[in-house]
mmCIF file of all heavy atoms in Angstrom:
data_model
loop_
_atom_site.group_PDB
_atom_site.id
_atom_site.type_symbol
_atom_site.label_atom_id
_atom_site.label_comp_id
_atom_site.label_asym_id
_atom_site.label_seq_id
_atom_site.Cartn_x
_atom_site.Cartn_y
_atom_site.Cartn_z
ATOM 1 N N HIS P 23 0.815 -1.217 0.000
ATOM 2 C CA HIS P 23 0.000 0.000 0.000
ATOM 3 C C HIS P 23 0.850 1.269 0.000
ATOM 4 O O HIS P 23 0.331 2.357 -0.253
ATOM 5 C CB HIS P 23 -0.929 0.004 1.208
ATOM 6 C CG HIS P 23 -1.905 -1.129 1.214
ATOM 7 N ND1 HIS P 23 -2.896 -1.273 0.270
ATOM 8 C CD2 HIS P 23 -2.028 -2.201 2.044
ATOM 9 C CE1 HIS P 23 -3.589 -2.374 0.516
ATOM 10 N NE2 HIS P 23 -3.082 -2.954 1.579
ATOM 11 N N VAL P 24 2.144 1.166 0.295
ATOM 12 C CA VAL P 24 3.037 2.323 0.233
ATOM 13 C C VAL P 24 3.379 2.567 -1.231
ATOM 14 O O VAL P 24 4.101 1.790 -1.856
ATOM 15 C CB VAL P 24 4.311 2.096 1.063
ATOM 16 C CG1 VAL P 24 5.264 3.282 0.887
ATOM 17 C CG2 VAL P 24 3.970 1.913 2.530
ATOM 18 N N THR P 25 2.855 3.636 -1.788
ATOM 19 C CA THR P 25 3.053 3.925 -3.214
ATOM 20 C C THR P 25 4.307 4.753 -3.463
ATOM 21 O O THR P 25 4.955 4.594 -4.492
ATOM 22 C CB THR P 25 1.837 4.668 -3.778
ATOM 23 O OG1 THR P 25 1.607 5.868 -3.009
ATOM 24 C CG2 THR P 25 0.590 3.785 -3.699
ATOM 25 N N HIS P 26 4.654 5.650 -2.527
ATOM 26 C CA HIS P 26 5.836 6.489 -2.684
ATOM 27 C C HIS P 26 6.476 6.725 -1.314
ATOM 28 O O HIS P 26 5.770 6.789 -0.299
ATOM 29 C CB HIS P 26 5.500 7.845 -3.313
ATOM 30 C CG HIS P 26 4.997 7.759 -4.708
ATOM 31 N ND1 HIS P 26 3.667 7.593 -5.010
ATOM 32 C CD2 HIS P 26 5.653 7.796 -5.902
ATOM 33 C CE1 HIS P 26 3.513 7.541 -6.330
ATOM 34 N NE2 HIS P 26 4.703 7.661 -6.887
ATOM 35 N N ALA P 27 7.778 6.875 -1.328
ATOM 36 C CA ALA P 27 8.523 7.254 -0.137
ATOM 37 C C ALA P 27 9.738 8.058 -0.579
ATOM 38 O O ALA P 27 10.289 7.820 -1.669
ATOM 39 C CB ALA P 27 8.962 6.030 0.663
ATOM 40 N N ALA P 28 10.152 8.984 0.245
ATOM 41 C CA ALA P 28 11.293 9.814 -0.114
ATOM 42 C C ALA P 28 12.014 10.259 1.147
ATOM 43 O O ALA P 28 11.396 10.484 2.191
ATOM 44 C CB ALA P 28 10.851 11.024 -0.933
ATOM 45 N N LEU P 29 13.329 10.369 0.999
ATOM 46 C CA LEU P 29 14.175 10.833 2.097
ATOM 47 C C LEU P 29 14.756 12.180 1.699
ATOM 48 O O LEU P 29 15.262 12.346 0.576
ATOM 49 C CB LEU P 29 15.285 9.815 2.358
ATOM 50 C CG LEU P 29 16.054 9.905 3.672
ATOM 51 C CD1 LEU P 29 15.112 9.719 4.861
ATOM 52 C CD2 LEU P 29 17.163 8.859 3.708
ATOM 53 N N TYR P 30 14.676 13.135 2.618
ATOM 54 C CA TYR P 30 15.128 14.497 2.333
ATOM 55 C C TYR P 30 16.242 14.889 3.299
ATOM 56 O O TYR P 30 16.250 14.476 4.462
ATOM 57 C CB TYR P 30 13.972 15.495 2.465
ATOM 58 C CG TYR P 30 12.886 15.301 1.434
ATOM 59 C CD1 TYR P 30 11.884 14.355 1.629
ATOM 60 C CD2 TYR P 30 12.864 16.061 0.271
ATOM 61 C CE1 TYR P 30 10.888 14.164 0.678
ATOM 62 C CE2 TYR P 30 11.856 15.881 -0.675
ATOM 63 C CZ TYR P 30 10.882 14.932 -0.466
ATOM 64 O OH TYR P 30 9.900 14.743 -1.403
ATOM 65 N N ARG P 31 17.142 15.708 2.781
ATOM 66 C CA ARG P 31 18.199 16.260 3.629
ATOM 67 C C ARG P 31 17.594 17.276 4.603
ATOM 68 O O ARG P 31 16.430 17.654 4.494
ATOM 69 C CB ARG P 31 19.278 16.917 2.784
ATOM 70 C CG ARG P 31 20.095 15.944 1.936
ATOM 71 C CD ARG P 31 21.187 16.702 1.185
ATOM 72 N NE ARG P 31 22.105 15.797 0.494
ATOM 73 C CZ ARG P 31 21.935 15.357 -0.745
ATOM 74 N NH1 ARG P 31 20.851 15.738 -1.440
ATOM 75 N NH2 ARG P 31 22.817 14.543 -1.306
ATOM 76 N N LEU P 32 18.420 17.707 5.527
ATOM 77 C CA LEU P 32 17.935 18.658 6.531
ATOM 78 C C LEU P 32 17.486 19.973 5.906
ATOM 79 O O LEU P 32 16.569 20.632 6.415
ATOM 80 C CB LEU P 32 19.034 18.911 7.575
ATOM 81 C CG LEU P 32 18.646 19.758 8.794
ATOM 82 C CD1 LEU P 32 17.505 19.085 9.560
ATOM 83 C CD2 LEU P 32 19.841 19.963 9.710
ATOM 84 N N ASP P 33 18.110 20.360 4.795
ATOM 85 C CA ASP P 33 17.723 21.615 4.137
ATOM 86 C C ASP P 33 16.517 21.458 3.223
ATOM 87 O O ASP P 33 16.118 22.414 2.552
ATOM 88 C CB ASP P 33 18.914 22.182 3.352
ATOM 89 C CG ASP P 33 19.414 21.231 2.260
ATOM 90 O OD1 ASP P 33 18.796 20.153 2.090
ATOM 91 O OD2 ASP P 33 20.412 21.547 1.600
ATOM 92 N N GLY P 34 15.935 20.251 3.160
ATOM 93 C CA GLY P 34 14.736 20.039 2.379
ATOM 94 C C GLY P 34 14.960 19.484 0.995
ATOM 95 O O GLY P 34 13.990 19.211 0.281
ATOM 96 N N ARG P 35 16.225 19.287 0.594
ATOM 97 C CA ARG P 35 16.498 18.753 -0.742
ATOM 98 C C ARG P 35 16.272 17.245 -0.784
ATOM 99 O O ARG P 35 16.552 16.544 0.172
ATOM 100 C CB ARG P 35 17.934 19.079 -1.161
ATOM 101 C CG ARG P 35 18.188 20.560 -1.453
ATOM 102 C CD ARG P 35 19.636 20.784 -1.863
ATOM 103 N NE ARG P 35 20.547 20.414 -0.779
ATOM 104 C CZ ARG P 35 21.745 19.873 -0.971
ATOM 105 N NH1 ARG P 35 22.158 19.584 -2.206
ATOM 106 N NH2 ARG P 35 22.527 19.596 0.055
ATOM 107 N N LEU P 36 15.784 16.779 -1.926
ATOM 108 C CA LEU P 36 15.502 15.358 -2.110
ATOM 109 C C LEU P 36 16.805 14.561 -2.097
ATOM 110 O O LEU P 36 17.774 14.902 -2.784
ATOM 111 C CB LEU P 36 14.748 15.141 -3.418
ATOM 112 C CG LEU P 36 14.251 13.720 -3.710
ATOM 113 C CD1 LEU P 36 13.268 13.268 -2.654
ATOM 114 C CD2 LEU P 36 13.617 13.661 -5.102
ATOM 115 N N PHE P 37 16.826 13.455 -1.332
ATOM 116 C CA PHE P 37 18.040 12.661 -1.153
ATOM 117 C C PHE P 37 17.908 11.277 -1.800
ATOM 118 O O PHE P 37 18.803 10.812 -2.489
ATOM 119 C CB PHE P 37 18.338 12.524 0.346
ATOM 120 C CG PHE P 37 19.641 11.844 0.648
ATOM 121 C CD1 PHE P 37 20.848 12.426 0.289
ATOM 122 C CD2 PHE P 37 19.670 10.626 1.298
ATOM 123 C CE1 PHE P 37 22.060 11.809 0.578
ATOM 124 C CE2 PHE P 37 20.862 9.988 1.585
ATOM 125 C CZ PHE P 37 22.064 10.584 1.221
ATOM 126 N N ALA P 38 16.775 10.600 -1.582
ATOM 127 C CA ALA P 38 16.519 9.281 -2.174
ATOM 128 C C ALA P 38 15.014 9.096 -2.270
ATOM 129 O O ALA P 38 14.238 9.722 -1.526
ATOM 130 C CB ALA P 38 17.144 8.170 -1.329
ATOM 131 N N VAL P 39 14.602 8.240 -3.194
ATOM 132 C CA VAL P 39 13.180 8.085 -3.454
ATOM 133 C C VAL P 39 12.840 6.618 -3.690
ATOM 134 O O VAL P 39 13.678 5.842 -4.150
ATOM 135 C CB VAL P 39 12.744 8.942 -4.673
ATOM 136 C CG1 VAL P 39 13.407 8.439 -5.942
ATOM 137 C CG2 VAL P 39 11.238 8.959 -4.832
ATOM 138 N N TYR P 40 11.618 6.231 -3.314
ATOM 139 C CA TYR P 40 11.092 4.893 -3.568
ATOM 140 C C TYR P 40 9.705 5.025 -4.213
ATOM 141 O O TYR P 40 8.876 5.816 -3.722
ATOM 142 C CB TYR P 40 10.962 4.102 -2.263
ATOM 143 C CG TYR P 40 10.135 2.852 -2.418
ATOM 144 C CD1 TYR P 40 10.698 1.687 -2.913
ATOM 145 C CD2 TYR P 40 8.763 2.845 -2.094
ATOM 146 C CE1 TYR P 40 9.920 0.533 -3.072
ATOM 147 C CE2 TYR P 40 8.002 1.699 -2.255
ATOM 148 C CZ TYR P 40 8.579 0.551 -2.739
ATOM 149 O OH TYR P 40 7.821 -0.577 -2.908
ATOM 150 N N PRO P 41 9.442 4.296 -5.295
ATOM 151 C CA PRO P 41 10.373 3.492 -6.100
ATOM 152 C C PRO P 41 11.459 4.367 -6.719
ATOM 153 O O PRO P 41 11.301 5.594 -6.798
ATOM 154 C CB PRO P 41 9.473 2.867 -7.167
ATOM 155 C CG PRO P 41 8.087 2.996 -6.630
ATOM 156 C CD PRO P 41 8.074 4.230 -5.812
ATOM 157 N N SER P 42 12.529 3.741 -7.154
ATOM 158 C CA SER P 42 13.716 4.495 -7.565
ATOM 159 C C SER P 42 13.459 5.422 -8.738
ATOM 160 O O SER P 42 14.186 6.401 -8.910
ATOM 161 C CB SER P 42 14.851 3.518 -7.914
ATOM 162 O OG SER P 42 14.440 2.620 -8.947
ATOM 163 N N LYS P 43 12.434 5.156 -9.548
ATOM 164 C CA LYS P 43 12.149 5.991 -10.709
ATOM 165 C C LYS P 43 10.888 6.826 -10.524
ATOM 166 O O LYS P 43 10.269 7.251 -11.495
ATOM 167 C CB LYS P 43 12.004 5.112 -11.958
ATOM 168 C CG LYS P 43 13.281 4.349 -12.311
ATOM 169 C CD LYS P 43 13.079 3.516 -13.563
ATOM 170 C CE LYS P 43 14.356 2.754 -13.915
ATOM 171 N NZ LYS P 43 14.198 1.926 -15.146
ATOM 172 N N ALA P 44 10.526 7.070 -9.280
ATOM 173 C CA ALA P 44 9.261 7.775 -9.006
ATOM 174 C C ALA P 44 9.500 9.176 -8.470
ATOM 175 O O ALA P 44 8.769 9.656 -7.616
ATOM 176 C CB ALA P 44 8.429 6.972 -8.025
ATOM 177 N N ARG P 45 10.518 9.857 -8.958
ATOM 178 C CA ARG P 45 10.816 11.200 -8.448
ATOM 179 C C ARG P 45 9.675 12.179 -8.706
ATOM 180 O O ARG P 45 9.481 13.128 -7.953
ATOM 181 C CB ARG P 45 12.113 11.730 -9.065
ATOM 182 C CG ARG P 45 13.356 11.012 -8.554
ATOM 183 C CD ARG P 45 14.637 11.581 -9.136
ATOM 184 N NE ARG P 45 15.790 10.928 -8.541
ATOM 185 C CZ ARG P 45 16.421 11.344 -7.456
ATOM 186 N NH1 ARG P 45 15.991 12.439 -6.841
ATOM 187 N NH2 ARG P 45 17.452 10.704 -6.972
ATOM 188 N N GLY P 46 8.929 11.952 -9.771
ATOM 189 C CA GLY P 46 7.823 12.858 -10.055
ATOM 190 C C GLY P 46 6.634 12.686 -9.125
ATOM 191 O O GLY P 46 5.744 13.534 -9.088
ATOM 192 N N GLY P 47 6.632 11.611 -8.335
ATOM 193 C CA GLY P 47 5.503 11.353 -7.457
ATOM 194 C C GLY P 47 5.670 11.884 -6.050
ATOM 195 O O GLY P 47 4.781 11.713 -5.210
ATOM 196 N N VAL P 48 6.817 12.524 -5.767
ATOM 197 C CA VAL P 48 7.082 13.061 -4.431
ATOM 198 C C VAL P 48 7.450 14.533 -4.563
ATOM 199 O O VAL P 48 7.877 14.980 -5.634
ATOM 200 C CB VAL P 48 8.225 12.279 -3.740
ATOM 201 C CG1 VAL P 48 7.844 10.814 -3.580
ATOM 202 C CG2 VAL P 48 9.525 12.406 -4.510
ATOM 203 N N PRO P 49 7.288 15.320 -3.497
ATOM 204 C CA PRO P 49 7.672 16.739 -3.564
ATOM 205 C C PRO P 49 9.160 16.899 -3.848
ATOM 206 O O PRO P 49 9.995 16.135 -3.344
ATOM 207 C CB PRO P 49 7.312 17.257 -2.164
ATOM 208 C CG PRO P 49 6.315 16.285 -1.630
ATOM 209 C CD PRO P 49 6.674 14.964 -2.203
ATOM 210 N N ALA P 50 9.501 17.891 -4.672
ATOM 211 C CA ALA P 50 10.909 18.143 -4.985
ATOM 212 C C ALA P 50 11.653 18.700 -3.781
ATOM 213 O O ALA P 50 12.851 18.456 -3.605
ATOM 214 C CB ALA P 50 11.008 19.112 -6.167
ATOM 215 N N MET P 51 10.950 19.448 -2.952
ATOM 216 C CA MET P 51 11.515 20.005 -1.719
ATOM 217 C C MET P 51 10.532 19.746 -0.583
ATOM 218 O O MET P 51 9.327 19.676 -0.801
ATOM 219 C CB MET P 51 11.759 21.511 -1.845
ATOM 220 C CG MET P 51 12.848 21.899 -2.832
ATOM 221 S SD MET P 51 14.506 21.657 -2.141
ATOM 222 C CE MET P 51 14.520 22.870 -0.806
ATOM 223 N N LEU P 52 11.073 19.619 0.633
ATOM 224 C CA LEU P 52 10.210 19.388 1.782
ATOM 225 C C LEU P 52 10.794 20.120 2.972
ATOM 226 O O LEU P 52 11.920 19.835 3.403
ATOM 227 C CB LEU P 52 10.100 17.895 2.085
ATOM 228 C CG LEU P 52 8.951 17.474 3.009
ATOM 229 C CD1 LEU P 52 7.604 17.763 2.346
ATOM 230 C CD2 LEU P 52 9.042 16.002 3.352
#
């Protein structure tokens, strides 16, 4: 049921994403 997951650096920049090719499915900054 987990469709997207993403890890962000402390400054909000995207660091890693799941699935690996799903960058468009998560916020670019957080």
Side-chain angles (χ1 to χ4, degrees):
H23 298 295
V24 176
T25 56
H26 295 88
L29 196 61
Y30 294 83
R31 292 183 173 89
L32 187 60
D33 60 3
R35 290 180 298 145
L36 186 62
F37 186 65
V39 65
Y40 167 83
S42 58
K43 297 181 180 180
R45 289 182 176 269
V48 299
M51 293 282 295
L52 196 65

